[in-house]
Amino acid sequence: MKNTVVEINNIGMTYHSLEGETEAIKNIDLNIYEGEIVGIVGPSGCGKSTLLSIIAGLIEPSSGTVLVKGQKVCRSNRNIGYMFQKDQLLEWRNILQNVVLGLEIQGKLNSQYYEKARNLLNNYGLGDFIHSYPSQLSGGMRQRVALIRTLILEPDFLLLDEPFSALDYQTRLAISDEIGVILKKEGKTGLLVTHDIAEAISLCDRVVILSNRPATIKEIIDIKLTCPEGRNTPLGRREAPEFRYYFNKIWKELDIHV
Amino acid sequence: MSKKNISKAHENYLSSIKKRNKTIFITQIAVFVIGLSLWEVAAHFKWIDTFLTSYPSQIWRLFVNYTKNGNLFHHIGISVFETVVGFTGGTLLGFIVAIGLWWSKFWARVFDPYLVMLNSLPKTALAPIIIIWVGAGYSGIIVTAISVSIVVTIMNMYESFISVDEDLIKLLNTFGATKFQILRKIVLPSSVPALINTLKINIGLSWVGVIVGEFLVSKAGIGYLIVYGGQVFKLDIVMMSVFILAIISVLMYRIVAIVENKFNRW
Ligand SMILES: Nc1ncnc2c1ncn2[C@@H]1O[C@H](COP(=O)(O)OP(=O)(O)OP(=O)(O)O)[C@@H](O)[C@H]1O
Ligand SMILES: [Mg+2]
């Protein structure tokens, strides 16, 4: 049995505002194991981002608990990578300075980490842009910088909230493939929210389907694809014979009416 | 892009742009020169009443006189001093208050209606009160200048502080950042463009405060010259002062623009 990284126990969340209360999520139970990437798909506004914020310890759930590596997350022990739809690079910092932002805030920045940042940037094809500013990079490169900024902190696991949805289609395929390969190579555990069913199947080991708001877990689907040796990358996985089957299954479960 | 190896077409394009810029500049100068000449000619042939309008050569002679006896620099020096102090004070204080409001949502909401009211109030209406309270010297004039720019500064800067992307703050929180770190690493740097805009606005506003203050109480300064010239019906003094005011404001604006370029490397 693999180690459990995240333990989500019966989470519920209700937002209160003057207009009334909004029950965003309800009775969510989920364990995430080391080295796996779990996808979350669900209708718009059902509470996916809320769930991620709770797991990251940024907001308190109304009920239930979340344990990361057996501990409750708080500001002092938080070690979770978070990636957003927008890359959130700081325009006034060059790429290297952007990559070390988290270290700087945690007071860990030293020459060793600078060295590591340079190495990561070199490895991921950004070596020539270390001293460039974000505005000089393409959308895909910027999202790669955001990933390096996350990975350099060696997080226990990663929360990815539609990280590719702001990119154009081709870039999106290329970058999701690349990032998927990186995450697997580094053995990272992650939770990926996406609206793109194909992306979820190609990147994830399991896909959680959420219901309309309040979000509950409708079904968890294990993705088992047969890929030829050496083609077990997100792009390769799209060619697996079972791909269509999973696509249809998730699409039906989502039950989207327009 | 390299300077070499540019195509003929691109070369033509560049030179046509250059030519156009040059034409615009020459036309700008021409408008100025023609305007002044018309004024001078109209005065010479008595088409206009020079008692009311004065005329360029008279203004120039006055300027040379004032420069020679050193009076002019005395007046300019005082007004510039008051403006620079008022401008710095108003901007700095406004900036600090804006940070305070960003820090405490509670106080931001408490002060919101007061700020709205102060913002729509013409601050120059407060000048007599300020001068009575603070004193009828430089200090009264400086405080008047501060009062004119501070409210706009608070509102602009606060607006910019709270418009930082929610997700960016969320990101910093996942790093475990303190509120102070969020302020220093993202809120302040991302507000640099707003600050520069505010500086530009505040130059004009501080001058308004200083001139109004000088109208009311001063014994020296450009505002004093204008009022004095008006009272003794020497329009050449008034005109000269207004010209000088225009030139100094533009110079100050240029200084801010230079600062702006320094920040524009990204
Ligand atoms: N701070 C808040 N206060 C009140 N209601 C909120 C708050 N944040 C989110 N909500 C509400 O909770 C519900 C879930 O929001 P959430 O952002 O988690 O959905 P989502 O699944 O991430 O949506 P999307 O697909 O658009 O990204 C929405 O109806 C939203 O309006
Ligand atoms: Mg969302």
Side-chain angles (χ1 to χ4, degrees):
Chain A
M1 191 72 212
K2 282 182 172 176
N3 293 331
T4 311
V5 180
V6 187
E7 223 181 302
I8 302 166
N9 297 317
N10 204 18
I11 289 283
M13 179 70 202
T14 305
Y15 286 111
H16 295 273
S17 71
L18 288 179
E19 289 79 47
E21 26 186 354
T22 314
E23 192 174 21
I25 55 182
K26 196 167 115 181
N27 299 333
I28 300 240
D29 267 302
L30 182 67
N31 282 357
I32 300 171
Y33 303 104
E34 195 165 336
E36 72 169 345
I37 294 177
V38 175
I40 295 188
V41 296
S44 291
C46 75
K48 302 179 293 291
S49 299
T50 303
L51 181 62
L52 294 204
S53 291
I54 291 173
I55 297 172
L58 297 172
I59 55 178
E60 274 290 309
S62 312
S63 61
T65 54
V66 176
L67 300 179
V68 175
K69 295 206 161 159
Q71 283 196 326
K72 215 172 162 310
V73 177
C74 65
R75 205 170 72 81
S76 53
N77 72 356
R78 185 180 296 138
N79 190 15
I80 292 166
Y82 210 132
M83 281 181 73
F84 302 88
Q85 189 168 357
K86 283 190 274 166
D87 48 66
Q88 304 295 356
L89 298 183
L90 305 182
E91 301 296 335
W92 56 89
R93 286 171 167 245
N94 68 26
I95 298 308
L96 184 63
Q97 290 167 331
N98 261 295
V99 164
V100 298
L101 178 67
L103 296 162
E104 194 179 312
I105 281 172
Q106 295 172 357
K108 292 185 196 157
L109 195 50
N110 56 29
S111 52
Q112 246 171 321
Y113 272 117
Y114 266 119
E115 203 43 50
K116 189 175 166 189
R118 277 174 212 280
N119 285 337
L120 282 170
L121 284 166
N122 278 324
N123 290 345
Y124 298 136
L126 291 159
D128 293 339
F129 297 95
I130 286 179
H131 299 292
S132 306
Y133 285 87
S135 58
Q136 296 164 292
L137 270 62
S138 70
M141 290 160 98
R142 292 174 61 123
Q143 203 53 282
R144 234 182 301 162
V145 175
L147 178 72
I148 297 172
R149 176 182 63 192
T150 311
L151 291 182
I152 199 167
L153 294 167
E154 294 169 359
D156 293 332
F157 82 112
L158 289 138
L159 295 170
L160 308 157
D161 197 349
E162 306 182 37
F164 312 119
S165 59
L167 304 171
D168 63 79
Y169 188 69
Q170 281 97 324
T171 312
R172 181 173 180 165
L173 279 183
I175 282 288
S176 63
D177 183 60
E178 205 175 305
I179 288 185
V181 170
I182 294 170
L183 294 181
K184 280 292 171 213
K185 200 182 83 202
E186 312 264 337
K188 291 294 171 195
T189 313
L191 194 56
L192 168 76
V193 171
T194 176
H195 277 117
D196 182 336
I197 300 173
E199 187 176 288
I201 302 169
S202 66
L203 281 165
C204 303
D205 303 295
R206 285 192 290 158
V207 175
V208 177
I209 301 168
L210 296 181
S211 66
N212 272 317
R213 206 181 67 219
T216 53
I217 295 182
K218 253 185 161 174
E219 191 166 353
I220 301 179
I221 300 176
D222 283 304
I223 309 286
K224 291 209 163 54
L225 300 171
T226 43
C227 291
E229 199 53 41
R231 290 289 291 153
N232 197 4
T233 64
L235 277 180
R237 284 161 64 95
R238 286 175 190 253
E239 290 158 24
E242 302 88 346
F243 194 84
R244 283 183 60 84
Y245 160 75
Y246 285 119
F247 192 100
N248 288 330
K249 185 168 165 122
I250 295 174
W251 173 247
K252 282 210 191 84
E253 278 300 329
L254 272 173
D255 195 23
I256 308 273
H257 302 286
V258 198
Chain B
M1 210 178 59
S2 65
K3 277 251 160 66
K4 290 167 279 176
N5 301 330
I6 50 177
S7 71
K8 192 78 197 141
H10 190 65
E11 211 168 277
N12 286 342
Y13 167 79
L14 287 181
S15 75
S16 79
I17 293 275
K18 234 181 235 164
K19 210 184 246 165
R20 188 159 183 83
N21 288 346
K22 210 163 148 192
T23 317
I24 288 175
F25 181 69
I26 290 172
T27 314
Q28 283 168 335
I29 301 284
V31 167
F32 181 71
V33 171
I34 291 172
L36 280 190
S37 316
L38 275 180
W39 188 1
E40 183 74 31
V41 170
H44 187 79
F45 292 107
K46 302 250 176 319
W47 299 336
I48 52 175
D49 186 350
T50 53
F51 183 67
L52 296 181
T53 61
S54 184
Y55 51 96
S57 60
Q58 188 187 28
I59 296 170
W60 176 252
R61 265 197 304 278
L62 184 79
F63 175 74
V64 173
N65 259 337
Y66 263 78
T67 328
K68 267 193 196 140
N69 64 23
N71 262 343
L72 187 64
F73 297 112
H74 175 63
H75 291 297
I76 292 180
I78 283 175
S79 289
V80 168
F81 167 75
E82 289 163 346
T83 306
V84 168
V85 175
F87 167 81
T88 316
T91 310
L92 216 60
L93 288 175
F95 193 75
I96 292 168
V97 173
I99 291 177
L101 293 182
W102 175 82
W103 197 275
S104 160
K105 275 222 172 81
F106 176 80
W107 289 108
R109 283 195 54 192
V110 169
F111 286 125
D112 180 61
Y114 297 103
L115 282 173
V116 170
M117 184 194 70
L118 280 175
N119 190 42
S120 42
L121 183 79
K123 263 68 67 182
T124 46
L126 301 176
I129 307 175
I130 290 174
I131 283 167
I132 290 169
W133 286 356
V134 181
Y138 301 137
S139 49
I141 294 169
I142 288 170
V143 175
T144 305
I146 290 176
S147 75
V148 178
S149 58
I150 189 168
V151 182
V152 176
T153 309
I154 294 172
M155 298 195 65
N156 282 354
M157 293 319 296
Y158 178 67
E159 199 51 46
S160 157
F161 290 166
I162 60 170
S163 65
V164 173
D165 193 319
E166 288 282 334
D167 278 349
L168 189 49
I169 292 178
K170 212 162 156 185
L171 175 74
L172 275 259
N173 277 324
T174 65
F175 293 151
T178 60
K179 193 160 188 177
F180 184 69
Q181 283 177 318
I182 292 176
L183 178 70
R184 238 193 49 206
K185 303 281 181 196
I186 58 176
V187 174
L188 293 184
S190 65
S191 298
V192 166
L195 177 63
I196 288 180
N197 266 336
T198 308
L199 291 181
K200 286 179 178 169
I201 296 168
N202 283 355
I203 289 175
L205 291 181
S206 307
W207 273 109
V208 170
V210 165
I211 297 296
V212 167
E214 286 183 348
F215 279 3
L216 292 175
V217 287
S218 72
K219 314 221 161 22
I222 299 176
Y224 163 80
L225 278 184
I226 293 175
V227 169
Y228 169 76
Q231 279 166 351
V232 300
F233 272 95
K234 291 199 60 174
L235 264 295
D236 47 352
I237 297 187
V238 179
M239 295 287 184
M240 175 187 76
S241 310
V242 172
F243 272 117
I244 289 169
L245 207 51
I247 291 167
I248 297 174
S249 314
V250 169
L251 285 181
M252 285 188 160
Y253 196 87
R254 294 297 311 161
I255 293 173
V256 173
I258 290 169
V259 174
E260 181 176 17
N261 279 335
K262 279 220 145 99
F263 277 104
N264 259 354
R265 64 202 151 121
W266 67 74

